Amino acid sequence: MLRAAGVGVGDEVVVPAFGNVEVAEAVVLAGALPVFADIDPVTYCLDAGAVAAVVTRRTAAVVAVHRFGRLADIARLHEIGQRHGLLVLEQGESEAPYDEIAQRRQRASYLDAKLKGVYTPDGGDGHTYQQYIVRVPGNGRPDRDAFARAVRARGVECRVPVKTPVHRLPEYRRCVSLPETERAADETLALPVDASLTKRDMQRVVSACNALGGLLQPAF
């Protein structure tokens, strides 16, 4: 899509660093330079204000990635695109059947009500819960990684959704300030919310997390 739009050598393309490396790779393959902008801490998608701050005369496009079942603020990004003459592209997630989304939302609602000691996700703007992302604040011990190990030891699968932001990778290393990206990479954890999970499975998730939650800052 970038090549078809004429994006190439000498151009810059604004992309998120929080997520998979493939978007930055695509920019490089098109011959352009990926420029990283920070994310919104609620949606984990590109923050429109951060995008506007990194636009230069060489910026040709913005690639917005929808993340974890939340949508990027496409309306504001298009406003920025129109103001500066930029192409705005979207990378979406695979769509699940309505019934599956409804079941994931039901399980997410259960976790929202029961979990303590972790920061639960904001469910606004039609969240489809492709992943249920909580935050474990880094306030000393236990931190997110210690929390994850302890939860797994209690028989609950969980995973770190973004282990290394792209701007930290050797081939894309940039000296940029991305505080929300850094914080999200250090604090986020994906808990199971699949439609196949039973009520007993969900109770096990809550029990495992809440057994540790008292050691953390209170959730808000």
Side-chain angles (χ1 to χ4, degrees):
M1 292 176 70
L2 291 167
R3 284 173 174 165
V7 176
V9 177
D11 291 328
E12 295 176 350
V13 179
V14 181
V15 299
F18 186 73
N20 300 330
V21 71
E22 286 83 356
V23 177
E25 287 178 340
V27 174
V28 172
L29 287 172
L33 177 71
V35 173
F36 300 111
D38 212 354
I39 58 168
D40 180 288
V42 174
T43 66
Y44 302 106
C45 304
L46 277 177
D47 178 79
V51 170
V54 299
V55 169
T56 71
R57 59 182 180 79
R58 294 196 297 176
T59 307
V62 177
V63 181
V65 181
H66 304 304
R67 186 72 64 197
F68 308 140
R70 288 296 299 267
L71 298 177
D73 191 346
I74 292 300
R76 285 193 64 200
L77 291 174
H78 275 297
E79 288 177 6
I80 294 168
Q82 290 173 358
R83 191 183 317 141
H84 296 280
L86 309 178
L87 176 70
V88 178
L89 300 177
E90 301 177 52
Q91 185 189 51
E93 298 171 304
S94 57
E95 293 187 7
Y98 176 80
D99 288 349
E100 182 176 333
I101 292 173
Q103 291 180 61
R104 285 203 301 248
R105 284 174 172 159
Q106 184 181 49
R107 285 155 179 76
S109 178
Y110 177 84
L111 293 178
D112 288 345
K114 299 291 186 180
L115 286 176
K116 300 176 182 178
V118 297
Y119 300 164
T120 55
D122 183 300
D125 296 339
H127 202 322
T128 60
Y129 296 97
Q130 296 279 2
Q131 296 185 58
Y132 186 87
I133 305 297
V134 299
R135 285 186 183 244
V136 182
N139 63 322
R141 289 195 299 264
D143 60 11
R144 187 272 315 277
D145 294 335
F147 187 91
R149 288 192 295 270
V151 168
R152 293 187 190 110
R154 287 167 168 77
V156 172
E157 278 301 313
C158 62
R159 69 182 193 85
V160 175
V162 177
K163 294 182 178 179
T164 306
V166 182
H167 74 295
R168 288 187 193 168
L169 299 175
E171 60 270 41
Y172 295 100
R173 191 172 295 279
R174 301 282 192 278
C175 184
V176 293
S177 176
L178 304 175
E180 295 299 344
T181 295
E182 297 277 354
R183 192 173 296 114
D186 291 342
E187 294 183 352
T188 51
L189 188 68
L191 296 178
V193 73
D194 302 334
S196 61
L197 295 172
T198 66
K199 186 172 183 179
R200 181 171 293 181
D201 292 331
M202 301 306 297
Q203 290 171 338
R204 186 181 299 115
V205 172
V206 170
S207 177
C209 291
N210 287 359
L212 304 165
L215 301 175
L216 300 172
Q217 296 172 356
F220 58 79

